[in-house]
Amino acid sequence: MKLTSPTQVKNWCIENGFHPNKTLGQNFLVDLNILNIITDAAGISEGDRVLEIGPGLGVLTEALLHRGARVTAVEKDGRLAGRLDAALGSPDELQVIEADALALDLDGFLAVGFDACVSNLPYSVGTRILLELALHPAAPRCFVVLVQSEVAERFRAYPGAEARGQSGVWLQLDYEVTLIREVKAACFWPKPEVGSAIVRLDRRSCGLSKSERRWFFDLTRHAFMHRRKQLGAVLRKAPEPLSCSEERLAQIFTESGIDPHDRPERLSGEQWQALSRAFDRVFNADD
Ligand code: SAM
């Protein structure tokens, strides 16, 4: 079957009694141009180890194999996982794992050292899957993913932008986020109700220590529950481990150079890092 032909994909589904599952985000990519843009953006070299979440019928898997990648594909739907290897001619370079990407033991799974993750992620759980993978210490150095346009906006949102939130601040800590291009709903079958976008993430070093990182995630997790409130008020009422005296909090704001009247949505990545460092210093000094 030609996987970039909407007619052939649709006919295969009809002939095999396969009804794409909306909950699993089964909107198959059927556009050759977009397929090439994704594989080009991933810059795969011969022998690269590539992780693909949700291979579906295998359109991306096949293209990655053609580029010389060794592909590990994780598919939750047993009907798709069960046919994929044979459908692509059982290549040695392909490993298909039938599993929920959210239930993987990532410490063991990522230990092989993937060079890249290239995926057309399911809408409903795409952000969760990406965050779990990308923030793991053994994460691939590069991600090229297709996600909902709105989600892509959040990933790359700058301070003060309407879409600025926890997922963008977290990803931007460790990655350069680039929007490769928007993708129309017509490039998928069945057509989704929303637009999509291709995003590339390139790993960079954030410079925070292990304990500063813990502060960073605790702080931003709490603060983005109140993104429009003033940071001073948000942190004054923060739960453990962030909870501290007025004096300590004042010292943290002074040391970090952050204005307590500023709001979480307006802080830059560097400012969150400065605040995390100050929490770490002040709490450690008092221990
Ligand atoms: N890669 C194919 C393509 O581009 O046509 C399919 C992409 S489709 C948007 C998302 C795929 O992710 C589906 O095959 C779906 O069954 C699978 N999927 C959904 N949730 C999953 C999960 N939690 N873990 C692994 N795969 C999942």
Side-chain angles (χ1 to χ4, degrees), residues 100-272:
D100 179 343
L102 289 169
L104 294 171
D105 162 21
L106 289 185
D107 291 344
F109 184 72
L110 294 176
V112 294
F114 290 104
D115 296 293
C117 171
V118 184
S119 306
N120 174 11
L121 291 170
Y123 284 152
S124 54
V125 286
T127 301
R128 273 178 68 199
I129 292 175
L130 185 63
L131 286 175
E132 286 201 6
L133 288 171
L135 297 175
H136 190 280
R141 60 176 164 72
C142 164
F143 287 77
V144 176
V145 287
L146 246 172
V147 290
Q148 210 175 316
S149 299
E150 203 180 289
V151 167
E153 270 319 304
R154 279 187 224 132
F155 288 172
R156 67 190 193 109
Y158 49 84
E162 186 57 35
R164 182 75 164 172
Q166 181 182 283
S167 61
V169 171
W170 283 13
L171 285 176
Q172 290 169 29
L173 176 69
D174 288 329
Y175 297 88
E176 193 74 51
V177 181
T178 314
L179 174 73
I180 303 289
R181 68 166 280 169
E182 296 285 341
V183 180
K184 291 203 174 86
C187 297
F188 303 90
W189 187 86
K191 248 198 222 175
E193 279 145 23
V194 290
S196 301
I198 306 167
V199 177
R200 181 180 161 123
L201 309 180
D202 289 282
R203 195 158 193 151
R204 61 178 176 204
S205 169
C206 76
L208 290 182
S209 69
K210 238 181 171 177
S211 62
E212 289 165 350
R213 268 181 87 86
R214 273 199 296 274
W215 286 114
F216 176 89
F217 288 110
D218 286 339
L219 261 169
T220 47
R221 189 180 291 112
H222 175 67
F224 278 105
M225 289 196 259
H226 316 275
R227 57 194 292 267
R228 294 211 168 90
K229 287 194 182 154
Q230 293 188 355
L231 206 52
V234 171
L235 292 181
R236 217 166 283 130
K237 289 190 187 139
E240 287 295 336
L242 301 166
S243 148
C244 62
S245 64
E246 280 289 336
E247 295 72 39
R248 244 189 191 186
L249 196 54
Q251 192 186 346
I252 287 168
F253 277 117
T254 308
E255 285 203 15
S256 61
I258 306 295
D259 179 351
H261 298 104
D262 220 337
R263 297 167 202 277
E265 62 182 2
R266 300 203 58 85
L267 255 57
S268 68
E270 290 72 27
Q271 287 178 307
W272 283 117

Side-chain angles (χ1 to χ4, degrees), residues 23-30 52-61 74-77 80 99-102 119-125 129 146 188:
T23 315
L24 288 176
Q26 289 175 345
N27 303 99
F28 303 115
L29 179 67
V30 287
E52 185 189 2
I53 304 296
L57 292 170
V59 67
L60 204 47
T61 326
V74 179
E75 173 57 61
K76 185 173 176 180
D77 188 333
L80 297 173
D100 179 343
L102 289 169
S119 306
N120 174 11
L121 291 170
Y123 284 152
S124 54
V125 286
I129 292 175
L146 246 172
F188 303 90

